[in-house]
Amino acid sequence: MGRAPCCDKTGLKKGPWTPEEDLKLTNYIQSHGPGNWRTLPKNAGLERCGKSCRLRWANYLRPDIKRGRFSFEEEETIIQLHSILGNKWSAIAARLPGRTDNEIKNYWNTHIRKRLLRNGIDPVTHAPRLDMLDLSSILTSTLCNQSLLNASNLLGAQPLLNPQLLRLANTLLSLKQENPDILVQYLHKNQLSNSQQHLVPSSLQPSQLQVQSTIQNDSTCTTSTPIPSTWALNQIELMQNNATGISSNMKSFSCPDTQETLTSTLTNACASLPKYVHCSPNPTDPFTSENSNVQSIGGSQMFSFDSVRSTPIRSPSPLNSPSTFINSSSSVDDERESFSSLLKFEIPDSLDISDFM
DNA sequence: AAGCAGGTCAACCGCTGTCTA
DNA sequence: TTAGACAGCGGTTGACCTGCT
């Protein structure tokens, strides 16, 4: 069924709205309510498409719109919600009072997404980007024939290789496929989930668990090293969705040590995980050196998300925008401090996870 | 000062879902 | 059941801004 254009576009104005148009639209809606968007422009004396009027009202003229830069709490919420909802901007906006889907979408695309990419984190899966690699060949080389490791087949991917971690993913994958509940129970038992576990309803699927996974009872895993269990679980999804055949390839390995217990696998993976998130080949990259998310602690590289958040952003609001107002901006110190909690995937109290179910 | 490149964001486009006659 | 009307959504565009050379 074809869809007729929302209005006859001939003679209708397009482009930026003038203050006069804003005033007309605001006055009309405050007097009569939005009503029918198709007939509104004519009734309000506007030479605009009804759709354009609706967008202008919804995104900029609504009295409850919050303008100005995003707070860190909002940023964290966006990232957390995006990891759950994906590009469902309207759903994300519904949980950020005063923010519009358009604004959030723009902010994600211009700030957060680029930042995640710069730090080697896939903005879609919220995971380190293993999808760029030829996993099957890498796995074969790494797990079953160390002698095959050479520069040509790694192509700079070596920092991402972690047999323990891949084994963990394989184990979790198998476990999840066989019985997701057992996996959840295992994660609970091993304190893979964070202390705020009670916030996560048991109905959550493993891939939806947004937990700050700190393996606390293992001396090799310092409490200062937040292990993104979301990453591990998302990696399972990634493999399922993007790497056709990976699962079967992994299961076909004949490595003798694949019978290790999940516990030891988790332990070893935890110990070596930080080495495998350093994706920038450039040691001078400010995001991997000075502000690196790969920090050297005790001689080993430790992962943190501290640098995922960008350097301070100037006011995103053009001063000459007739409908833009500028909020006070946070200090650099505030950003750094708040940033340290980014991507730990704690569910704010204000969020009701059941809404997503 | 001028030109260029990259970033930002308001607005538009095209599609889908829902409602109703 | 079907088709039209409409609202809403996500992706994209392009004008404008800023910083660098």
Side-chain angles (χ1 to χ4, degrees):
Chain A
M1 168 179 65
R3 173 160 160 62
C6 66
C7 55
D8 180 9
K9 291 194 168 59
T10 58
L12 293 180
K13 190 181 173 192
K14 289 168 65 175
W17 281 64
T18 64
E20 291 75 22
E21 288 177 312
D22 284 345
L23 191 62
K24 281 184 180 179
L25 181 59
T26 303
N27 287 340
Y28 181 85
I29 290 180
Q30 286 178 346
S31 300
H32 305 89
N36 187 324
W37 287 110
R38 175 175 287 240
T39 59
L40 183 147
K42 186 179 177 181
N43 296 335
L46 290 163
E47 294 180 346
R48 290 274 182 176
C49 167
K51 195 173 181 177
S52 180
C53 293
R54 180 179 57 80
L55 215 57
R56 184 65 182 173
W57 174 258
N59 286 342
Y60 299 98
L61 297 178
R62 245 170 46 203
D64 58 330
I65 292 289
K66 188 200 292 182
R67 308 299 303 178
R69 64 163 299 149
F70 282 74
S71 70
F72 294 111
E73 290 73 20
E74 287 175 317
E75 275 198 38
E76 290 186 37
T77 303
I78 291 171
I79 293 170
Q80 290 161 3
L81 289 172
H82 188 273
S83 70
I84 299 170
L85 300 168
N87 292 359
K88 304 294 183 188
W89 306 117
S90 59
I92 295 172
R95 290 161 178 84
L96 282 169
R99 299 296 187 182
T100 69
D101 55 350
N102 204 37
E103 194 178 13
I104 294 170
K105 177 176 61 183
N106 281 335
Y107 192 72
W108 176 271
N109 286 329
T110 58
H111 294 94
I112 302 174
R113 183 176 177 277
K114 289 177 182 176
R115 213 174 305 150
L116 293 175
L117 285 170
R118 268 201 304 266
N119 288 276
I121 296 174
D122 189 319
V124 176
T125 63
H126 293 251
R129 301 181 65 191
L130 288 178
D131 54 331
M132 295 186 298
L133 310 174
D134 180 352
L135 284 179
S136 60
S137 62
I138 289 170
L139 286 170
T140 301
S141 299
T142 306
L143 294 179
C144 298
N145 194 344
Q146 294 291 330
S147 66
L148 291 180
L149 284 173
N150 57 52
S152 63
N153 67 4
L154 289 177
L155 290 173
Q158 199 248 350
L160 279 166
L161 295 179
N162 183 348
Q164 300 289 351
L165 204 52
L166 293 169
R167 223 175 299 145
L168 164 64
N170 185 31
T171 306
L172 292 174
L173 172 64
S174 303
L175 193 53
K176 183 194 175 190
Q177 288 176 336
E178 291 167 9
N179 194 333
D181 292 335
I182 290 179
L183 176 58
V184 174
Q185 290 168 15
Y186 182 86
L187 294 176
H188 285 205
K189 183 180 178 181
N190 288 274
Q191 298 183 9
L192 244 160
S193 51
N194 69 356
S195 59
Q196 296 184 3
Q197 189 77 55
H198 62 278
L199 293 174
V200 182
S202 60
S203 60
L204 273 175
Q205 292 301 308
S207 62
Q208 294 172 304
L209 283 173
Q210 304 299 305
V211 294
Q212 178 186 355
S213 54
T214 303
I215 302 178
Q216 298 168 330
N217 57 350
D218 190 305
S219 60
T220 64
C221 303
T222 68
T223 54
S224 63
T225 308
I227 307 299
S229 70
T230 305
W231 170 82
L233 295 169
N234 280 340
Q235 199 58 43
I236 297 169
E237 301 293 339
L238 183 67
M239 291 176 180
Q240 289 176 326
N241 295 333
N242 298 337
T244 305
I246 288 294
S247 173
S248 59
N249 287 344
M250 296 178 79
K251 288 177 178 177
S252 69
F253 289 156
S254 57
C255 303
D257 57 352
T258 53
Q259 299 306 311
E260 284 183 22
T261 65
L262 181 57
T263 299
S264 64
T265 304
L266 282 168
T267 300
N268 295 330
C270 172
S272 51
L273 174 63
K275 299 175 183 177
Y276 304 95
V277 294
H278 182 191
C279 298
S280 171
N282 181 3
T284 63
D285 182 344
F287 280 89
T288 55
S289 54
E290 179 181 345
N291 299 318
S292 177
N293 57 353
V294 181
Q295 304 169 340
S296 180
I297 300 176
S300 64
Q301 292 177 311
M302 306 299 284
F303 179 80
S304 78
F305 288 103
D306 284 13
S307 67
V308 177
R309 179 157 290 167
S310 74
T311 52
I313 307 164
R314 70 175 189 276
S315 169
S317 306
L319 292 173
N320 59 350
S321 174
S323 58
T324 301
F325 307 93
I326 301 175
N327 290 350
S328 61
S329 59
S330 304
S331 68
V332 174
D333 289 342
D334 287 345
E335 294 204 10
R336 293 286 177 208
E337 182 178 1
S338 175
F339 184 30
S340 64
S341 63
L342 184 64
L343 289 180
K344 287 181 179 176
F345 300 102
E346 294 173 357
I347 306 300
D349 293 339
S350 59
L351 291 179
D352 184 356
I353 299 299
S354 63
D355 290 346
F356 307 135
M357 299 302 112

